[in-house]
Amino acid sequence: MTGQVRTRIAPSPTGENLHIGNAYTALINYVVAKQHGGQFIVRIEDTDRTRFVEGSEARILASLAWLGIRYDEGPYHQSERLPLYKQYADKLVENGHAYYCFCTAERLAQMRKEQEARHEPPRYDGHCRKVKSEKSKVKSEKYVIRLKVPEEGTTTFTDLIRGEITFENKLIDDQVLLKSDGYPTYHLGVVVDDHLMEISHVIRGEEWISSTPKHVLLYQFLGWKLPVYAHMPLLRNPDKSKLSKRKNPVWVSWYREQGFLPEALLNYLATMAWAHPEGKEIFSLDEMIRVFDLANVQTTAPVFDIEKLRWMNGTYLRSYQSSARLPARQVVSRQIFDFVHRKYSKEVIEKVLPLVIERMKSLKEFESLAGFFFARPKELERPVNQGLLRVAKGALESCDWSHEAMEKAIREASEQTGVKARDVFMELRVAVTGKTVGPPILESLEILGEEETIARFI
Ligand code: GLU
């Protein structure tokens, strides 16, 4: 590869948070930059003032930081670069590749209505294309600048993942480049900025493929070198429909709040449309940077399955917990400590974790599995059989507070009373934890301590 590799994501601050699809493109862009010793850039495409969402940018950046995707440059803001877009729009008009359009909103609405009636796709009819506009009109009237798409021929580009893609020019709309409020449209902004920011690879979702011929024309008309294009397949719900808010949570913040680890989420996203060359399912970001190959991305719809992600997250949690290295072993307890806003003691979390880690697929589940260690259950799943509980109580009052001794004492007491030890353990569990299922009960009591255990026998 010649020259520097520079990639980017260009989110618009129009959503609640970083969309999981954007996190996916961010990951791929980041990996491609890093594997070539290049730079990854963040550019905020904030030119659509009508869809602007307050605070969106800050939340997008916070989610990127949480994921550990660090950018080398940016965030740049298109709203701070307006004179640049104007300059290139004017240049295109001068060169005859764009034109002023004075059509009113009413005329455009009427035109669209007629096209609809004729079952034609909506597009500009070229009304202002032929008129040579006088300077005075440009000064005094509202206008937009439109791209003058050639009437004949085709526009072709090569997509690194999909090969050559060709569009017929006569089907491409005379796209607005500069709006009457002086802001560029996405199409002008993206091309000017990708060029000026020396972006070598434009890696984005496949929903932008149909926009690309307009961009290619702009590069040609401005005499600029095309970047490498790679359009990633869109993530799908398990039923293959486009990932949507209704069927799957789409904001990265949700995954954070649910107690997913960022490294597990990135690992899962990495497997979406690409397979590790050795068939590995679990691998680190560093490893991905070493072995990822953009050209090997599949175009078949990748399914984003939360259950699979939960499995992967659980695998990460257990691998930390069973690590031979102490710092790795402390990762989970530290994360839980933060996750519960430090309201539980770190020492107790550490003691309790081995009892619940096998069942945990997310940090959040720690509270439902182990909450009883930190607070008495507010209500019991069902009433306790007091007779059976009394057997446990008697046994526990006269034995050592170790799970082996407790087990022996309860078994003996049950036998003497003529009840099943299994039933006594169950009543003990319900009385102390409030639930009928949970971590090993006697090991739990050992941690909970004698005083607290007995206090729950009411
Ligand atoms: N602003 C576009 C977006 O919201 C960027 C698309 C692109 O990467 O070119 O995703």
Side-chain angles (χ1 to χ4, degrees), residues 8 10-12 22 45 186 190 204 208:
R8 51 64 166 181
S12 302
N22 286 141
E45 299 204 326
Y186 158 66
V190 82
R204 59 186 171 197
W208 303 103

Side-chain angles (χ1 to χ4, degrees), residues 126-250:
H127 179 78
C128 289
R129 192 176 160 120
K130 289 137 213 135
V131 293
K132 175 115 187 61
S133 28
E134 287 131 41
K135 283 240 154 61
S136 58
K137 196 170 175 189
V138 174
K139 281 220 175 77
S140 61
E141 287 183 31
K142 264 195 151 189
Y143 66 86
V144 301
I145 292 181
R146 286 185 185 272
L147 177 64
K148 198 172 195 174
V149 178
E151 278 160 346
E152 284 161 14
T154 56
T155 298
T156 298
F157 67 93
T158 304
D159 186 292
L160 194 62
I161 301 170
R162 294 152 200 271
E164 218 168 72
I165 306 182
T166 299
F167 289 82
E168 292 224 38
N169 289 341
K170 64 171 187 283
L171 300 178
I172 304 172
D173 198 7
D174 277 2
Q175 179 67 52
V176 173
L177 300 174
L178 199 73
K179 296 181 270 189
S180 57
D181 61 2
Y183 280 80
T185 57
Y186 158 66
H187 306 281
L188 179 65
V190 82
V191 168
V192 168
D193 282 343
D194 283 342
H195 171 73
L196 294 180
M197 294 174 188
E198 298 177 4
I199 301 302
S200 62
H201 292 62
V202 169
I203 306 166
R204 59 186 171 197
E206 66 183 327
E207 72 268 37
W208 303 103
I209 291 179
S210 61
S211 298
T212 309
K214 295 172 187 172
H215 304 172
V216 171
L217 287 172
L218 283 170
Y219 277 96
Q220 285 171 4
F221 295 159
L222 290 162
W224 294 341
K225 186 172 171 282
L226 276 185
V228 173
Y229 281 109
H231 289 91
M232 304 297 294
L234 281 188
L235 305 184
R236 306 272 162 176
N237 293 307
D239 67 4
K240 295 283 163 84
S241 60
K242 192 179 146 203
L243 201 68
S244 69
K245 273 179 259 181
R246 270 179 298 113
K247 298 201 176 127
N248 249 331
V250 294

